Amino acid sequence: MVVQAYILIQTDVGKAAEVAKAIAQVNGVTLAEDVTGPYDVIVRAEAKNVDELGKLVVSKVQNLDGITRTLTCPVVHI
């Protein structure tokens, strides 16, 4: 079963649109939009399991320039 999550991202000031555009190109990201509020970018991502999702966040998302903090929220299917 595919694991899906929302990744809430805080960026450096003025970098939200640039980060959203860059992160949209990452394999596993299905949606990336810059938003207003306490987070600057919200991403929808998917991976084949929780371990792969963690690798996606740590090695691909958090390494992008302009990102200061992330919060990963796995989607719960009931």
Side-chain angles (χ1 to χ4, degrees):
M1 184 169 111
V2 172
V3 176
Q4 299 173 325
Y6 288 97
I7 306 168
L8 311 179
I9 300 172
Q10 292 178 337
T11 68
D12 291 327
V13 175
K15 296 286 187 177
E18 181 181 321
V19 167
K21 185 176 180 180
I23 204 166
Q25 304 304 312
V26 172
N27 190 30
V29 170
T30 58
L31 179 69
E33 296 186 299
D34 49 323
V35 297
T36 61
Y39 292 93
D40 303 305
V41 178
I42 297 179
V43 171
R44 176 85 181 225
E46 61 183 27
K48 62 182 179 180
N49 57 48
V50 173
D51 289 337
E52 291 298 317
L53 180 64
K55 289 177 187 175
L56 169 72
V57 173
V58 172
S59 69
K60 295 183 181 175
V61 173
Q62 291 179 345
N63 282 333
L64 291 174
D65 288 337
I67 293 178
T68 59
R69 180 174 296 194
T70 65
L71 175 65
T72 303
C73 306
V75 174
V76 178
H77 298 281
I78 299 176

